[in-house]
Amino acid sequence: QRVLDKYATRILSLGDFVLTGGELPALVIADAVVRLLPGVLGDPSSLDEDSHSDGLLSYPQYTRPQEWDGRCVPEVLISGDHGQVRNWRRAHAVRSTRDRRPDLFCRSRLTKSDLDLLQ
């Protein structure tokens, strides 16, 4: 506490939980900051689609194989229709945020199109 009182200009919290030490939170913060440095990510444009980049949680992410344990990647995502894929991703980001983080949802700047996607 004395070090905080003397040197801290800001105190961060990762959430409402308790850990065994400060090592893991320090690594999480370091990772969150370092990934913003040029050259750290393979594709810098991926920052634009990260969760929270637009105030919403991210849409569901799928990888190969196309089917796993009887669960398939949604057909729209493999359709090749970029407009439909974009709409699907946005709709799921909006729904996910509404369902999981109503606090973020209430603060997000939704468009009429976003509200239509919720229908």
Side-chain angles (χ1 to χ4, degrees):
Q1 185 61 50
R2 291 173 289 184
V3 172
L4 288 176
D5 292 342
K6 182 168 182 171
Y7 295 110
T9 58
R10 185 175 296 168
I11 296 174
L12 302 175
S13 172
L14 297 182
D16 297 330
F17 50 86
V18 178
L19 299 171
T20 55
E23 297 85 357
L24 292 175
L27 286 171
V28 169
I29 292 169
D31 183 69
V33 171
V34 168
R35 64 189 313 281
L36 299 175
L37 296 174
V40 170
L41 297 180
D43 181 3
S45 68
S46 63
L47 283 173
D48 299 333
E49 294 188 25
D50 275 349
S51 198
H52 300 288
S53 64
D54 60 358
L56 299 173
L57 298 179
S58 185
Y59 50 82
Q61 308 277 325
Y62 293 89
T63 60
R64 289 183 176 86
Q66 245 177 308
E67 180 188 335
W68 174 81
D69 199 29
R71 299 166 189 259
C72 296
V73 172
E75 194 65 36
V76 66
L77 298 180
I78 54 175
S79 69
D81 186 324
H82 298 291
Q84 285 186 3
V85 169
R86 189 172 30 261
N87 287 341
W88 184 94
R89 287 176 171 173
R90 184 66 181 186
H92 280 78
V94 170
R95 284 188 197 123
S96 177
T97 306
R98 179 195 62 195
D99 296 345
R100 297 179 185 164
R101 290 291 306 275
D103 59 317
L104 291 178
F105 184 77
C106 289
R107 292 192 312 254
S108 62
R109 292 193 169 113
L110 299 176
T111 65
K112 182 181 178 330
S113 299
D114 291 333
L115 297 175
D116 291 343
L117 290 171
L118 287 173
Q119 300 301 325

